[in-house]
Amino acid sequence: MPSWWGKSSSKEAKKKTSKEGIIDSLQRRFRTPSENKPASKSGGSRRRTCDTVSEKGCQSVAQSRSPSPSKQVSRCQSFIERPRAQPLPLPGLQPAGIGRTESGISVPSKPRSEKGSKPFVPLLRSRCVQSRPEPAEVDGDVIAASFSSECSIDSDDPADSSQRSPLASDYENGSRTAAGSPSRMMAKVQSVTEIRLREATKPANQISPLSSRRRPLSNHVPNLQVPCHGTFYIAPDSSLSSPSRSPLRTPGTEQVINSAFWTGKTYADLPLLGSGHCSSPGSGQNSGHNSMGGDMSGQLFWQPSRGSPEYSPIPSPRMTSPGPSSRIHSGAVSPLHPRAVGPAPDDGKQQSHRLPLPPVTISNSSPFSHPNSAATSPSVPRSPGRAENPTSPSSRWKKGKLLGRGTFGHVYVGFNSESGEMCAMKEVTLFSDDAKSKESAKQLGQEIALLSRLRHPNIVQYYGSETVDEKLYIYLEYVSGGSIYKLLQEYGQFGELAIRSYTKQILSGLAYLHAKSTVHRDIKGANILVDPNGRVKLADFGMAKHIAGQSCPLSFKGSPYWMAPEVIKNSNCNLMVDIWSLGCTVLEMATTKPPWSHYEGVAAMFKIGNSKDLPAIPDHLSDDGKNFVRQCLQRNPLHRPTAEKLLEHPFVKNAAPLEKPIIGPEPSDPPAGVTAGVKSQGIGHTKNGTNLDPGRLAIHSSRVSKSGLHSSEIHIPRNISCPVSPIGSPLLHSRSPQHLNGRMSPSPISSPRTTSGSSTPLTGGSANILYNQLNQSVYLQEGFGIKSQNHYTNSPSCRSPYHDIFRGTQSGSQIFRELLSSENEAIGKHFGRPLHGELYDGQSVLADRVSQQLLRDHAKLSPSLDLSSCSPFPDRMSGM
Ligand SMILES: Nc1ncnc2c1ncn2[C@@H]1O[C@H](COP(=O)(O)OP(=O)(O)OP(=O)(O)O)[C@@H](O)[C@H]1O
């Protein structure tokens, strides 16, 4: 049970103490001479303890692990073990070791000696503490089948590793699990279960962690193989794929172990690797994901947690570990790589950091360069004196507070102080000499390739990306409300109205996604963002995959508690896995926990995969709600309704929108400058008294179109003056009816941009405007009226995975582009131009502007660039 579900901190403290003793014993038992350093220190059990340990740069038991697989089965934090219902940290009442920043980000309050001076502590490992479940708490058949969520199986980044919990998956983390072959997985789970059963009968001090420490390849991975290329064999969360784990940083066996992991090691080797990452998915900065990812075979890989820093009362190992990134407030630490050490996003106070300066010199010497890429060429890092270069898009964006930490890096608020716009900036460090970085880049490339072709109001919008030096920045729609997971943790279970509304929106996003033969594979509360107006956005497409055929075999991705049976059982998975996960998410919203959360991750998987049981459905759900959940949680995927079909289910069909109606201004108080017939409301606009927020016009129009309602029946939403939200974004007004007349009446916030054409990535003054009204796509170009789609050079049809501008040094950009696999191109072939009439959210406009402006800005630097080409890599993308 997550600590915040716990009963009291005192109870936890006792457990902590006892577990620390266990850890000490383990360390004494397994510590190698090299580990017997003063720096090493036994850590406590649980995530919190691990964090502490990590912070101290201690603990590493992996290398000395017992050769016996069974002894290596470690157990990390489980729901079962965690204190129940620990209240959310309140000011002054935060759990020990946890601090809370002004921004609501939980951080370890414990002082860190290494802060600022010790960004990287080798051999830091989170402990895989084998803690035995209390008999009364565990089912007999699964009592042992638990991996520790706090264990790390790999991570070249000490910081990272120390912060990860293996099954990182405990629900609270919503952990995503990375594993391999489903079939093998089940066998492994069962085997591990047996092991755990055996372990459970042993004294605690005899239990060895299933660890994850690095071991010499010769000793532990005799049959290491290089994973085959061209498939998603590396989970985004995998250590291999994590840029944070550079072999250069801490060459160790862990990495090797991971590598072996990907190759489909036999069960006998599982224990060496199976402990997985000790990540605390929802903890700390991690938004609560512990997911398994990667189309790998033969691996049981508990992905490191990712998450939003803001909310987990329990500090994620990752968050509290000495790892640079984990310390939001700790100052100069690099989340991903020692070389990437930089200022901490937050240090208790909100700080803005300028983006890394873009390169000054650009040439086309890069073999990967293309006319439209700003990052294709060798470049010279900008000198400090050039920070204010107006041609630099990046210089106009300031990196703000840390929103969350993911597998690949950190996500920050991006703020354009000139236009007042915001976005979410995902910062990923790339290293040309880091194999893992390359894998990460590949994963990111896949995600970008896929996400860049998605445009839907219920899917977080991808704006663009660029590389600056060795960092890749991915600009995304900023959804300021946080994830459903976070909201549940903070406010408790949702009422049915909210559940209905959210579920309907999730379904809308899924229906759209599935129509593109794309499966998300990681639907859960932590990956669903909510804006202040209650609009839901699917996020985190790191696990998403386009399904060419009817299924995607050999995929074992997802988060244990939300994972469909067929995924666990190695059956072919298809789009229906998302429906199962949706059912779990509905239960999560209704109870704050996913089904089977009383089991530890692996135990839950065992239960999901092997039993015929269905999770309990709370009585307080309506009959429609219960039926909806049952529909989703049918074990036979063929029996599950499609997302499109479920939209007709009474549970969601009549779901009332959460938006409040627009409250019009006083009739006699029209703002100055308002065109006749058009009134301004706040930062929104109205059209001839319809009071439709243009930011929602298309959406509601779409609803009307689908439902057959007349305009008079349209629910009139209220734009709750939130300049941060997509709705409130001035960019949304590009869809204002005013634009149909070739006029731009940007909101006050957007005025500077729209009128001046300032060159920010997201604010191209002459950017193309995409307008959609009443389900009709109309492309507009600012100042030029309606423009044909065919002439809309930045239309989605022209996009490719390489559409983005990669700015930066050759190393960073080249790495990224080099590693964009052919699979990306394959994906692209399935994502052409959005269907005519396809709903475009206002964020699409922003996205287009980003790309446009990036191109434009780069063109300023490189006048010779040919911007007429749709595809930066015509040769590679010709098939799109
Ligand atoms: N568009 C966004 N708006 C607001 N917050 C966001 C956004 N994207 C991400 N975040 C925050 O950042 C956290 C990490 O982001 P995300 O999970 O996408 O990173 P990631 O690298 O994809 O992680 P992983 O793949 O391991 O799940 C999220 O939990 C969320 O709190």
Side-chain angles (χ1 to χ4, degrees):
M1 196 68 72
S3 65
W4 51 91
W5 300 342
K7 294 176 181 175
S8 66
S9 57
S10 61
K11 181 180 178 181
E12 186 177 346
K14 292 178 182 178
K15 290 186 176 182
K16 179 180 178 180
T17 301
S18 65
K19 290 183 180 263
E20 285 176 345
I22 294 173
I23 293 175
D24 288 337
S25 298
L26 291 173
Q27 285 190 311
R28 284 194 296 272
R29 180 181 177 88
F30 299 107
R31 185 178 299 151
T32 62
S34 62
E35 292 177 295
N36 291 325
K37 298 176 182 179
S40 294
K41 173 184 178 181
S42 328
S45 57
R46 303 187 187 251
R47 197 163 288 144
R48 190 169 303 163
T49 306
C50 277
D51 292 344
T52 301
V53 171
S54 298
E55 292 171 18
K56 303 263 182 187
C58 55
Q59 282 216 42
S60 208
V61 292
Q63 291 183 355
S64 56
R65 271 178 202 116
S66 164
S68 166
S70 64
K71 299 205 170 210
Q72 293 168 347
V73 176
S74 60
R75 171 178 175 179
C76 293
Q77 177 176 355
S78 71
F79 292 106
I80 300 173
E81 296 176 324
R82 294 178 195 130
R84 284 181 172 277
Q86 179 174 319
L88 281 169
L90 298 174
L93 295 176
Q94 299 149 356
I98 301 177
R100 196 174 184 86
T101 67
E102 294 174 1
S103 60
I105 299 175
S106 295
V107 296
S109 59
K110 189 173 183 177
R112 296 170 193 176
S113 58
E114 75 280 14
K115 176 180 179 181
S117 61
K118 209 172 176 184
F120 171 70
V121 182
L123 297 180
L124 283 185
R125 292 281 139 221
S126 51
R127 297 306 79 186
C128 297
V129 180
Q130 177 83 27
S131 58
R132 300 170 56 185
E134 303 201 2
E137 297 178 303
V138 190
D139 273 9
D141 63 336
V142 293
I143 183 171
S146 57
F147 279 128
S148 169
S149 311
E150 296 180 332
C151 300
S152 231
I153 62 170
D154 76 339
S155 177
D156 294 350
D157 183 337
D160 273 341
S161 63
S162 64
Q163 302 160 4
R164 293 177 184 186
S165 51
L167 206 181
S169 50
D170 294 321
Y171 155 60
E172 66 239 45
N173 303 321
S175 38
R176 176 190 288 177
T177 308
S181 167
S183 60
R184 265 189 223 174
M185 181 58 197
M186 232 17 247
K188 289 175 181 177
V189 168
Q190 293 173 358
S191 299
V192 172
T193 298
E194 295 171 1
I195 292 171
R196 290 288 303 155
L197 286 169
R198 290 196 297 271
E199 291 285 334
T201 63
K202 298 178 182 179
N205 62 0
Q206 293 180 10
I207 299 172
S208 61
L210 178 61
S211 154
S212 42
R213 290 217 33 208
R214 300 173 181 157
R215 281 165 255 200
L217 175 60
S218 58
N219 294 336
H220 303 278
V221 191
N223 57 343
L224 175 63
Q225 299 173 14
V226 177
C228 58
H229 205 68
T231 62
F232 287 89
Y233 60 90
I234 296 295
D237 333 299
S238 75
S239 57
L240 280 178
S241 63
S242 171
S244 64
R245 300 170 204 154
S246 167
L248 296 180
R249 268 174 289 155
T250 41
T253 55
E254 230 169 10
Q255 178 188 348
V256 172
I257 290 172
N258 269 338
S259 300
F261 216 32
W262 311 135
T263 65
K265 292 176 69 63
T266 59
Y267 163 68
D269 291 329
L270 175 62
L272 295 175
L273 313 169
S275 60
H277 289 289
C278 296
S279 64
S280 54
S283 62
Q285 300 183 31
N286 295 328
S287 55
H289 336 250
N290 266 357
S291 307
M292 289 177 145
D295 292 338
M296 307 154 282
S297 53
Q299 53 218 352
L300 174 55
F301 180 85
W302 298 110
Q303 168 190 349
S305 74
R306 320 162 289 163
S308 57
E310 331 135 324
Y311 289 102
S312 176
I314 293 184
S316 155
R318 223 170 155 185
M319 177 176 120
T320 55
S321 83
S325 58
S326 61
R327 304 175 204 157
I328 315 176
H329 313 273
S330 65
V333 285
S334 168
L336 301 174
H337 195 290
R339 290 161 54 186
V341 172
D346 278 319
D347 193 31
K349 299 177 181 178
Q350 296 264 337
Q351 295 180 7
S352 291
H353 303 268
R354 277 204 173 277
L355 279 170
L357 299 177
V360 174
T361 304
I362 295 179
S363 65
N364 292 322
S365 61
S366 169
F368 297 93
S369 65
H370 66 83
N372 292 349
S373 173
T376 56
S377 49
S379 57
V380 178
R382 183 183 296 277
S383 66
R386 300 196 58 175
E388 301 304 323
N389 187 327
T391 63
S392 167
S394 298
S395 67
R396 295 178 182 273
W397 286 91
K398 297 177 180 178
K399 187 166 68 179
K401 74 171 182 178
L402 180 68
L403 291 172
R405 178 175 177 166
T407 303
F408 299 121
H410 291 170
V411 179
Y412 302 89
V413 171
F415 181 69
N416 187 320
S417 56
E418 294 186 9
S419 66
E421 295 163 334
M422 295 182 182
C423 71
M425 301 169 51
K426 183 178 288 189
E427 181 188 73
V428 181
T429 302
L430 304 171
F431 297 97
S432 58
D433 53 357
D434 187 335
K436 290 181 179 178
S437 288
K438 291 183 178 179
E439 291 301 337
S440 298
K442 181 179 177 180
Q443 290 291 324
L444 287 166
Q446 293 168 338
E447 181 177 358
I448 289 174
L450 193 153
L451 196 54
S452 64
R453 292 171 175 78
L454 302 177
R455 296 195 176 202
H456 189 274
N458 297 121
I459 293 178
V460 67
Q461 185 62 55
Y462 166 77
Y463 293 160
S465 61
E466 63 178 343
T467 56
V468 179
D469 295 329
E470 293 181 316
K471 292 184 186 296
L472 167 66
Y473 289 91
I474 301 174
Y475 300 104
L476 301 166
E477 172 185 3
Y478 175 41
V479 188
S480 60
S483 69
I484 284 178
Y485 166 80
K486 183 197 73 173
L487 294 173
L488 287 169
Q489 295 307 311
E490 186 162 10
Y491 302 107
Q493 65 191 45
F494 299 162
E496 182 149 328
L497 285 180
I499 297 174
R500 286 173 180 246
S501 175
Y502 286 10
T503 301
K504 183 174 186 176
Q505 295 180 66
I506 296 169
L507 273 173
S508 292
L510 285 180
Y512 168 85
L513 199 63
H514 291 177
K516 290 180 173 295
S517 299
T518 300
V519 59
H520 186 284
R521 293 199 290 187
D522 203 14
I523 292 296
K524 60 182 179 182
N527 287 336
I528 301 170
L529 305 176
V530 185
D531 80 2
N533 295 322
R535 184 176 293 174
V536 162
K537 310 270 184 179
L538 302 184
D540 194 356
F541 284 75
M543 295 287 189
K545 183 179 179 63
H546 180 269
I547 300 178
Q550 293 299 311
S551 61
C552 49
L554 296 180
S555 292
F556 189 68
K557 289 187 173 184
S559 300
Y561 298 99
W562 294 260
M563 196 177 283
E566 65 268 25
V567 178
I568 296 175
K569 292 190 295 186
N570 191 28
S571 301
N572 286 343
C573 72
N574 57 26
L575 301 174
M576 293 300 102
V577 302
D578 286 341
I579 300 301
W580 174 279
S581 299
L582 172 63
C584 295
T585 303
V586 171
L587 292 179
E588 180 186 6
M589 290 190 283
T591 67
T592 74
K593 294 170 285 188
W596 294 290
S597 58
H598 52 292
Y599 294 112
E600 292 186 37
V602 173
M605 292 174 63
F606 189 82
K607 191 77 176 177
I608 296 169
N610 278 12
S611 77
K612 301 295 182 185
D613 299 339
L614 284 178
I617 300 177
D619 290 336
H620 61 76
L621 265 187
S622 66
D623 289 342
D624 282 344
K626 291 173 182 171
N627 181 268
F628 182 91
V629 171
R630 292 192 191 101
Q631 292 287 319
C632 295
L633 299 184
Q634 297 190 71
R635 290 187 170 276
N636 185 342
L638 298 176
H639 293 165
R640 292 174 213 148
T642 63
E644 195 68 44
K645 183 75 176 176
L646 282 171
L647 280 169
E648 299 301 315
H649 193 283
F651 181 62
V652 297
K653 186 173 184 179
N654 300 318
L658 294 179
E659 299 102 335
K660 298 175 183 176
I662 292 177
I663 300 175
E666 293 294 331
S668 59
D669 187 28
V674 174
T675 304
V678 178
K679 296 179 181 180
S680 171
Q681 296 183 354
I683 62 173
H685 305 271
T686 59
K687 178 185 177 183
N688 297 326
T690 60
N691 286 339
L692 274 179
D693 180 339
R696 297 180 179 173
L697 182 59
I699 296 170
H700 286 274
S701 296
S702 176
R703 291 174 182 169
V704 170
S705 177
K706 290 182 179 179
S707 62
L709 296 175
H710 296 294
S711 59
S712 60
E713 301 173 84
I714 299 175
H715 169 76
I716 301 175
R718 165 66 173 165
N719 181 1
I720 305 176
S721 297
C722 180
V724 178
S725 75
I727 302 275
S729 170
L731 290 176
L732 288 177
H733 303 307
S734 60
R735 293 186 306 182
S736 167
Q738 294 159 318
H739 298 132
L740 286 175
N741 299 324
R743 292 191 302 270
M744 284 294 290
S745 266
S747 70
I749 293 180
S750 60
S751 295
R753 168 183 56 73
T754 55
T755 56
S756 66
S758 60
S759 57
T760 64
L762 306 184
T763 61
S766 59
N768 293 316
I769 302 301
L770 191 59
Y771 181 79
N772 181 293
Q773 185 177 23
L774 296 177
N775 216 25
Q776 293 181 346
S777 297
V778 179
Y779 292 96
L780 300 180
Q781 191 167 42
E782 245 176 72
F784 296 95
I786 297 177
K787 191 176 180 70
S788 164
Q789 286 188 9
N790 294 333
H791 299 145
Y792 186 59
T793 56
N794 195 35
S795 69
S797 62
C798 292
R799 294 192 167 203
S800 75
Y802 313 95
H803 174 76
D804 304 308
I805 299 304
F806 299 103
R807 181 188 298 275
T809 59
Q810 184 175 17
S811 59
S813 59
Q814 184 172 318
I815 294 169
F816 185 65
R817 293 186 301 106
E818 277 180 350
L819 293 169
L820 288 174
S821 67
S822 58
E823 183 163 351
N824 288 352
E825 300 178 30
I827 291 174
K829 293 176 182 177
H830 296 277
F831 289 85
R833 175 198 307 274
L835 298 174
H836 182 69
E838 198 167 76
L839 184 60
Y840 278 75
D841 189 73
Q843 297 303 319
S844 299
V845 177
L846 186 56
D848 290 331
R849 288 187 172 186
V850 173
S851 298
Q852 282 283 57
Q853 192 58 50
L854 288 172
L855 284 171
R856 197 172 299 112
D857 291 337
H858 182 58
K860 293 177 182 178
L861 297 176
S862 301
S864 61
L865 293 181
D866 176 12
L867 299 181
S868 62
S869 172
C870 286
S871 173
F873 301 100
D875 51 334
R876 299 180 65 181
M877 303 307 298
S878 57
M880 292 188 65

